[in-house]
Amino acid sequence: ALAIAGMLLIQNVPWTPAARLQIVFSKVGPVLQGAALALVLFTITSLSPEGVSPFIYFRF
Amino acid sequence: MAESLLQPLPSLEDPEPAPIVTAPARRRVRSRDAFVTKAVCLGLWAVLFAPALLRGAEGGPVGARRSAALAVLRPLSSLSDALAIEDASTAMMSALGRDPEAQAGGELELPLDLPPLPPLPVDDEPARPSPQGPASPSPEGDRDRVNDDDGRGEPAAGIRTPDADAELRVAVVGDSLSQGLGPAIEQWFDPDVSRVLALGRQSTGLARQDYFNWQAAMRQLEEAFRPDLLFVLLGSNDNQAQVTRDGEDVGIGSVAWTLAYRERAAAFLEEATSNGTHVVWVGIPVVRDRQRWDFYGRVNEIYEQTAAADPLATYVDAWDLFQLRGGGYSAFLRNERGVVQEMRAGDGIHLTPTGYGYLAREAIRAAAREFDLPQRAVTIRI
């Protein structure tokens, strides 16, 4: 539910706040930048599809 | 007319456009800062995601790749646990709709509209036959099985006659072969007096309980549905090493593998029959690839012997059923009426809908022969 809400929210964010976010992001230090990107990456990988990994069994 | 055609089209642009906010100008970043950013990003992500990566690696095929992945991920997962990051990542994954504790092969998914469980036998004993005889005799009378030397030595109660108020509960479990068998079984049961759950799961078996645990799934099914009759068809994926509860590998082809597999088959069946469920264990049908014949023949033998040891179970030899008269594989076979039909799918392993229908009829007839499945429950002549 949180993921769906987040996706809907992102669709409606105007460009100005996004640009401001970019400005803020560019001003923080590299460690904080890395931490923020790690959280984004974690969210993306957590939302990746689950299911049978094709290499585990013979797929039948 | 010509002048009107030459008039410029009205502009669709906003007469007073909003001011455009431009992104900040690119600025140079030192290579050291870029490296630090990437290292922190990947390092923190690895620690955050380590538990999930570890579970995924544990479910992989036994071999050098899995060993290498585990060697890297176990310390990372320990670090994540020690720093209490694992709790945070677990909470985040739960918020994102993931079950962090789920096994790699997923969980058994039961329908939400299951009928209420029937009452257990009055004497509070499970319906499983005791050494003295059946615990819950069927209204139609006991089967006439005598104590013979087949290892069972005790008769089993028959399957009850269903009606609209007390539907017969039927389930089909196993791997992708059972995913084809399930709808075929459902097709032949009368929906007015029976409820059939097709619960097969692709890429599962008994060899890798760390990936998908059919014994635990069977317990879940017994607690939620308690089927009267269960059809089992699995094993086609099990030609691989087993992983014990302690994480130890048991190599394929060893005596230990066979003993462990036999134990798993027996434990699975015991779980299934613990509340009086009758089990029809369908063996793996002959396949086109001859290299699989030896392994499939051996596990079929284990299934047959396991079923033979339990009075509530019986075995259907699908290998012979789908062989040519002289032996061997063919996609086209004669059904019970002697009509030649295309029974096998193009991969040489699975069946066509016609083939599944034939197998389902034979499995149902085995249930009728061994457990007195009443004619009222099905739409085919048994």
Side-chain angles (χ1 to χ4, degrees):
Chain A
L2 275 177
I4 293 170
M7 293 297 287
L8 292 173
L9 197 65
I10 286 170
Q11 300 296 320
N12 292 292
V13 170
W15 174 242
T16 306
R20 282 178 186 156
L21 182 66
Q22 197 173 345
I23 293 166
V24 170
F25 184 79
S26 65
K27 285 180 179 173
V28 299
V31 174
L32 277 179
Q33 281 185 351
L37 290 174
L39 287 177
V40 172
L41 192 58
F42 176 76
T43 305
I44 292 169
T45 47
S46 296
L47 291 172
S48 62
E50 288 178 294
V52 176
S53 303
F55 56 83
I56 290 174
Y57 275 97
F58 307 119
R59 286 192 286 171
F60 53 83
Chain B
M1 181 65 183
E3 283 182 6
S4 64
L5 286 174
L6 293 174
Q7 292 287 329
L9 291 169
S11 172
L12 296 176
E13 290 181 4
D14 191 341
E16 294 181 6
I20 299 170
V21 179
T22 55
R26 286 176 179 272
R27 72 180 179 91
R28 287 185 179 277
V29 177
R30 287 185 299 172
S31 59
R32 189 178 67 87
D33 288 351
F35 176 78
V36 169
T37 301
K38 289 174 187 171
V40 169
C41 173
L42 292 177
L44 183 57
W45 172 80
V47 176
L48 275 172
F49 211 53
L53 290 172
L54 182 62
R55 276 192 296 276
E58 285 172 342
V62 173
R65 180 177 172 172
R66 179 175 181 269
S67 301
L70 293 181
V72 172
L73 290 168
R74 278 184 178 141
L76 271 179
S77 187
S78 301
L79 177 67
S80 175
D81 189 27
L83 296 175
I85 293 175
E86 187 169 352
D87 294 339
S89 68
T90 298
M92 287 170 71
M93 289 185 78
S94 298
L96 292 168
R98 278 272 182 96
D99 179 6
E101 301 302 322
Q103 57 190 354
E107 305 291 337
L108 188 70
E109 292 169 3
L110 295 171
L112 296 173
D113 62 335
L114 290 177
L117 285 173
L120 281 168
V122 181
D123 57 0
D124 290 330
E125 289 293 326
R128 188 182 181 78
S130 68
Q132 289 74 38
S136 59
S138 75
E140 292 74 46
D142 297 339
R143 290 176 48 209
D144 294 329
R145 182 187 292 158
V146 295
N147 292 356
D148 49 24
D149 57 356
D150 67 353
R152 301 183 184 208
E154 52 194 272
I159 295 174
R160 65 184 176 83
T161 300
D163 56 43
D165 297 327
E167 292 179 323
L168 194 73
R169 296 156 179 266
V170 183
V172 187
V173 299
D175 56 21
S176 62
L177 280 165
S178 82
Q179 287 181 310
L181 180 64
I185 292 279
E186 192 171 7
Q187 174 189 359
W188 300 127
F189 272 86
D190 186 343
D192 292 335
V193 294
S194 61
R195 175 77 188 272
V196 180
L197 300 185
L199 300 171
R201 289 190 68 90
Q202 186 179 357
S203 301
T204 60
L206 295 178
R208 295 296 302 273
Q209 289 190 341
D210 58 313
Y211 179 77
F212 186 86
N213 189 336
W214 267 114
Q215 190 183 344
M218 201 58 240
R219 193 176 310 130
Q220 184 188 348
L221 180 61
E222 283 293 323
E223 288 170 358
F225 186 60
R226 203 184 304 150
D228 296 293
L229 179 57
L230 177 77
F231 294 90
V232 180
L233 173 50
L234 44 69
S236 57
N237 299 306
D238 283 341
N239 191 11
Q240 60 177 299
Q242 297 177 56
V243 178
T244 65
R245 288 180 183 174
D246 303 328
E248 299 291 325
D249 306 340
V250 183
I252 183 78
S254 63
V255 174
W257 190 98
T258 305
L259 292 174
Y261 197 82
R262 196 180 289 279
E263 279 180 19
R264 289 185 179 192
F268 169 77
L269 186 61
E270 188 177 349
E271 197 71 61
T273 58
S274 58
N275 286 319
T277 296
H278 296 79
V279 175
V280 176
W281 197 315
V282 181
I284 304 169
V286 62
V287 296
R288 187 168 54 205
D289 182 6
R290 285 177 173 266
Q291 291 184 339
R292 297 180 187 272
W293 283 17
D294 180 54
F295 175 77
Y296 285 173
R298 278 188 282 162
V299 290
N300 273 346
E301 195 178 316
I302 291 174
Y303 305 147
E304 184 173 11
Q305 291 169 355
T306 303
D310 193 320
L312 284 173
T314 190
Y315 176 78
V316 172
D317 188 346
W319 188 275
D320 281 349
L321 192 65
F322 284 89
Q323 274 201 128
L324 292 168
R325 282 182 185 169
Y329 173 90
S330 174
F332 292 85
L333 296 163
R334 292 184 188 279
N335 66 7
E336 63 269 53
R337 293 184 177 181
V339 180
V340 176
Q341 294 178 310
E342 186 175 10
M343 300 273 192
R344 305 306 295 260
D347 61 7
I349 296 165
H350 293 88
L351 311 180
T352 60
T354 304
Y356 282 121
Y358 177 47
L359 181 58
R361 292 194 296 276
E362 292 303 312
I364 288 169
R365 288 184 179 120
R369 197 166 50 244
E370 297 293 323
F371 308 131
D372 290 339
L373 175 69
Q375 178 67 60
R376 174 76 183 90
V378 293
T379 57
I380 57 169
R381 180 179 293 277
I382 54 177

